[in-house]
């Protein structure tokens, strides 16, 4: 069950006395966020709005939605980072899953016994890292936990940010990801180029995502080579508060124009194939909003992320693009 740190929420409300608040969190956590909103309204007698749009992380808080509603505080739940607040009137609230990894950790021992592994997880399972580390080490698996950097805690990864795993990648034989998210694990496998296993406590299953990650990389690389044949590019700036990378967009515009390409600039909140179909005369796109939009979705035309766009420029300059995804942050 997801356990939200309601004590911290109530303390902040008692101290700041807002007239209304807003809450949001990952899709799978929304029922618990609803319960917390009900508890706030019952306890304090103020409106508590649940922002039910998808929130992917600290790049996608939807603080603008809270402002439109007139909510004085936004509680973003479940995107734990190593700082308590992210911007003015936005508080990041921990939410941990109390599921245990004991049984599924035992199942991976015969696969990785005698190996050295990097142990990482997402926000909801950070509280389980030490327990799993102990189980693995008791069974002759050497465990490395990389140090956090930027927003990340030790042993934590985001879908596009992998500093702890990259710190120890040359010391380990494989990665172990605690949780259910192939999304996080595939990015981990791509960035480190190491075999990566998901320890899924919900299905009591150990699954390797290496082949799935390699498929994503082949698709991403094919898009780069297709884009190299394009003449007219659309460069897309994301309109979500943490995705407004105008500097990168203008850099790619300048560099592509040096290579004789024609460039148009666009801005979108949600970058989908349906929206891009409305834009005519574009051979390929570059989006600087979120790298996982490009690797994890299907588009009619090439839609490159920032790492892919950097690789494209190298191709146009007749340079090597090996290891273009093996970087700690895909932005």
């Amino acid at each position: 069950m997801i356990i939200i740190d309601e004590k911290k929420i109530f303390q902040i409300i008692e101290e700041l006395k807002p007239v209304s608040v807003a809450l949001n969190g990952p899709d799978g956590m929304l029922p618990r966020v609803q319960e917390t909103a009900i508890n706030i309204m019952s306890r304090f007698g103020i409106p508590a709005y649940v922002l039910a749009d998808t929130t992917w992380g600290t790049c996608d808080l939807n603080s603008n939605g809270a402002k439109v509603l007139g909510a004085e505080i936004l509680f973003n739940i479940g995107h734990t980072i190593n700082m308590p607040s992210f911007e003015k009137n936005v508080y990041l609230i921990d939410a941990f899953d109390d599921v245990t990894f004991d049984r599924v950790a035992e199942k991976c021992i015969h696969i990785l016994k005698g190996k050295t592994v990097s142990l990482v997880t997402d926000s909801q399972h950070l509280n389980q890292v030490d327990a799993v580390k102990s189980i693995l080490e008791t069974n002759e698996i050497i465990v490395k936990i990389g140090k956090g950097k930027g927003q990340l805690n030790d042993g934590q990864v985001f879908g596009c940010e992998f500093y702890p795993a990259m710190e120890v990648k040359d010391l380990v034989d494989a990665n172990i990801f605690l949780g259910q998210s192939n999304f996080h694990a595939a990015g981990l496998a791509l960035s480190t180029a190491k075999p990566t296993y998901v320890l899924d406590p919900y299905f009591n299953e150990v699954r390797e995502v290496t082949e799935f990650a390699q498929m994503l990389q082949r698709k991403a690389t094919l898009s780069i080579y297709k884009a190299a044949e394009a003449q007219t590019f659309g460069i897309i700036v994301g309109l979500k508060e943490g995705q407004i990378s105008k500097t990168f967009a203008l850099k790619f515009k300048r560099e592509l124009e040096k290579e004789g390409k024609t460039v148009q600039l666009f801005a979108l909140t949600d970058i989908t194939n349906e929206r891009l179909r409305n834009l005519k005369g574009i051979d390929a796109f570059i989006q600087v909003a979120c790298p996982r939009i490009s690797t994890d979705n299907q588009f009619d035309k090439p839609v490159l992320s920032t790492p892919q766009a950097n690789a494209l420029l190298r191709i146009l300059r007749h340079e090597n693009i090996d290891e273009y995804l093996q970087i700690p942050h895909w932005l």
Side-chain angles (χ1 to χ4, degrees):
M1 182 178 73
I2 297 292
I3 299 172
I4 295 173
D5 187 359
E6 290 191 352
K7 181 179 178 180
K8 180 179 176 182
I9 292 175
F10 296 161
Q11 181 181 16
I12 292 170
I13 293 174
E14 286 168 356
E15 289 176 0
L16 300 181
K17 297 180 172 52
V19 175
S20 64
V21 301
L23 306 89
N24 63 357
D27 286 354
M29 208 175 286
L30 279 178
R32 285 289 293 116
V33 174
Q34 289 178 255
E35 293 175 17
T36 297
I38 291 169
N39 293 339
I40 290 170
M41 290 189 286
S42 174
R43 179 165 178 159
F44 296 99
I46 61 174
Y49 301 96
V50 176
L51 305 180
D53 287 332
T54 297
T55 171
W56 291 101
T58 54
C59 68
D60 183 21
L61 295 171
N62 200 8
S63 55
N64 291 331
K67 291 171 185 173
V68 168
L69 291 167
E72 296 174 70
I73 294 175
L74 169 62
F75 296 108
N76 181 264
I77 296 171
H79 291 128
T80 300
I81 61 173
N82 63 5
M83 57 185 77
S85 62
F86 195 70
E87 59 181 76
K88 186 179 180 181
N89 298 333
V90 177
Y91 292 86
L92 302 178
I93 304 298
D94 290 345
F96 295 116
D97 197 326
D98 64 358
V99 66
T100 64
F101 285 79
D102 296 9
R103 286 197 306 151
V104 72
E106 297 280 353
K107 293 184 76 168
C108 82
I109 290 166
H110 74 282
I111 302 172
L112 295 167
K113 192 169 186 175
K115 304 284 188 181
T116 300
V117 302
S118 170
L119 186 61
V120 294
T121 189
D122 57 10
S123 301
Q124 278 73 60
H125 302 104
L126 279 169
N127 59 333
Q128 298 288 342
V129 169
D130 289 341
V132 175
K133 180 176 184 287
S134 178
I135 293 171
L136 298 179
E137 290 181 333
T138 300
N139 289 277
E140 301 178 37
I141 297 173
I142 300 170
V143 177
K144 303 288 185 184
I145 298 176
K147 294 293 183 183
K149 183 178 178 181
Q151 298 179 42
L152 297 174
N153 294 281
D154 294 353
Q156 181 185 20
V157 294
F158 291 161
C160 64
E161 201 167 343
F162 315 100
Y163 286 105
M166 291 295 284
E167 183 194 40
V168 300
K169 76 180 183 70
D170 295 329
L171 306 175
V172 304
D173 303 301
N175 302 308
I176 291 179
F177 176 81
L178 305 182
Q180 196 173 38
S181 173
N182 287 344
F183 171 80
H184 289 82
L188 180 62
L190 288 173
S191 64
T192 62
K194 293 286 183 178
T196 300
Y197 298 85
V198 174
L199 269 60
D200 183 341
Y202 305 97
F203 288 95
N204 191 29
E205 173 182 83
V206 178
R207 57 180 182 271
E208 186 174 359
V209 298
T210 311
E211 186 175 336
F212 171 66
Q214 290 170 345
M215 180 272 292
L216 290 180
Q217 177 150 354
R218 288 193 296 270
K219 187 183 80 164
T221 303
L222 179 60
S223 291
I224 297 169
Y225 280 99
K226 285 183 177 178
E229 300 173 357
Q231 178 56 43
T232 301
F233 284 83
I235 298 181
I236 305 167
V237 177
L239 289 176
K240 296 178 180 179
E241 58 268 78
Q243 299 180 358
I244 306 174
S245 300
K246 291 192 294 184
T247 300
F248 285 130
L250 295 175
K251 170 205 156 189
F252 288 131
K253 180 179 184 293
R254 288 193 303 270
E255 297 300 320
L256 286 170
E257 287 174 343
K258 287 179 185 177
E259 300 298 326
K261 307 297 184 181
T262 301
V263 178
Q264 294 184 41
L265 296 172
F266 300 100
L268 283 168
T269 302
D270 294 305
I271 301 169
T272 65
N273 195 42
E274 289 69 28
R275 297 306 305 164
L276 298 189
R277 283 175 178 166
N278 293 325
L279 304 177
K280 304 305 179 185
I282 306 296
D283 303 319
F285 293 91
I286 293 170
Q287 58 83 21
V288 295
C290 167
R292 297 305 293 268
I293 291 171
S294 297
T295 58
D296 293 40
N297 296 286
Q298 295 292 330
F299 293 96
D300 295 339
K301 296 178 180 179
V303 179
L304 307 187
S305 65
T306 295
Q308 289 173 288
N310 285 324
L312 168 67
L313 291 174
R314 293 204 291 270
I315 288 174
L316 295 176
R317 296 163 185 163
H318 308 289
E319 299 171 0
N320 191 289
I321 68 166
D322 290 347
E323 302 180 356
Y324 70 92
L325 288 176
Q326 291 176 36
I327 51 179
H329 197 175
W330 286 356
L331 292 178

